[in-house]
Amino acid sequence: MSTVTLKSAREQRVTAPSLAAMKSRGEPIAMLTAYDFAFARIFDTAGIDVLLVGDSLGNVVQGRDTTLPVTLDEILYHTRLVARGASRALVVADLPFGTFQISPEESVRNAVRCVKEGGAHAVKLEGGRAVAATIERIVSAEIPVMGHVGLTPQAIHRMGGHRVQGRTVEAAERVIADARAVQAAGAFAVVLEGMPADLAREITADLAIPTIGIGAGVDCDGQVLVMHDMLGLSDWTPSFVKQYAALGMSAAKAARRYAEEVRERKFPDEKHSYR
Ligand code: KIV
């Protein structure tokens, strides 16, 4: 690759500051989760701005009921695969449960591993006021942090399930206070998950940093979906998910046809055999 190509590739990379510029231009941010090289490359080429290696991999890749058992080593492994497939998108590694709750020091160490070993450009962590000091420490180690407030799946046991947050005046005030705390701690963006669209609109207008919504209405600065949900690879999806493809059905149809052709000795035919 020539120096000129290298330079322009670097200039095109989506960065934490370029997402801020998108907010100020009123340009919506498109973010998807990704967990491997193949899909990272497809999404990157399709122009997705941010690829999140979410701890949702516990559900959609590992088949678990919650994200709680996901380990840092698992996130690191998938982040490496995604980083290899992303030449333009910002790659964000999700800090899994237990990796940023013990102490700010340990949180910085774990965030550093995401950048050094995973190739992430930023980390994301769930929580508001309770994690503000931790966000500050990670940011002071020069690692951009994306916050995540509202419905935070790592707090499933406290919330009593995946419940929409901020529906009463008091609950909405708590979500607003969390979003403000995350911004004040130095986060470059914040995910708003599972809250009424009006509340997400209010937070988006209130904050200077971009908000990325999931189940939070159309007025956020950007949107994120779990790739398996939007591609039709999940058995069940929440009502806020729009399916843009039916890959699960196509894959099942292809596998059935392949099995039939193997059993009928139709595959491989002449065209697919060496001479
Ligand atoms: O883990 C994840 O995929 C997430 C997104 C749903 C925001 O946190």
Side-chain angles (χ1 to χ4, degrees), residues 33 35 52 54-56 94 124 126 148 191 193 214 224 226:
T33 66
Y35 314 97
L52 170 68
D55 65 353
S56 51
D94 213 2
K124 175 172 87 58
E126 294 182 12
H148 183 162
V191 169
E193 178 166 0
I214 174 162
V224 57
V226 170

Side-chain angles (χ1 to χ4, degrees), residues 59-74:
N59 305 117
V60 297
V61 177
Q62 300 175 335
R64 297 180 189 275
D65 289 341
T66 75
T67 57
L68 300 179
V70 174
T71 66
L72 184 63
D73 283 337
E74 289 164 350

Side-chain angles (χ1 to χ4, degrees), residues 71-246:
T71 66
L72 184 63
D73 283 337
E74 289 164 350
I75 290 286
L76 290 174
Y77 171 75
H78 288 280
T79 304
R80 278 195 288 274
L81 310 188
V82 168
R84 245 172 254 152
S87 54
R88 174 184 171 272
L90 181 83
V91 176
V92 180
D94 213 2
L95 286 178
F97 179 67
T99 64
F100 61 93
Q101 287 88 351
I102 314 292
S103 72
E105 287 69 30
E106 198 174 315
S107 312
V108 174
R109 195 174 305 120
N110 290 333
V112 166
R113 286 191 70 196
C114 291
V115 174
K116 252 181 138 65
E117 299 174 39
H121 307 119
V123 298
K124 175 172 87 58
L125 58 90
E126 294 182 12
R129 286 156 291 172
V131 295
T134 299
I135 293 177
E136 231 175 289
R137 290 293 296 275
I138 299 174
V139 170
S140 64
E142 310 294 5
I143 299 173
V145 176
M146 178 179 281
H148 183 162
V149 302
L151 193 169
T152 48
Q154 291 177 18
I156 185 167
H157 297 314
R158 173 179 57 74
M159 296 182 304
H162 290 106
R163 299 190 188 291
V164 172
Q165 302 292 299
R167 279 201 155 133
T168 64
V169 173
E170 299 74 32
E173 278 167 1
R174 283 197 294 275
V175 180
I176 293 169
D178 283 337
R180 285 182 176 157
V182 159
Q183 169 171 277
F188 71 93
V190 61
V191 169
L192 305 182
E193 178 166 0
M195 65 184 70
D198 287 354
L199 174 57
R201 184 189 314 122
E202 189 182 332
I203 295 173
T204 300
D206 182 69
L207 297 188
I209 59 172
T211 61
I212 317 280
I214 174 162
V218 75
D219 293 312
C220 299
D221 297 307
Q223 297 291 329
V224 57
L225 282 177
V226 170
M227 59 159 276
H228 288 63
D229 294 345
M230 62 81 76
L231 291 178
L233 287 163
S234 306
D235 288 344
W236 173 87
T237 53
S239 59
F240 65 80
V241 170
K242 180 171 173 183
Q243 285 190 0
Y244 288 83

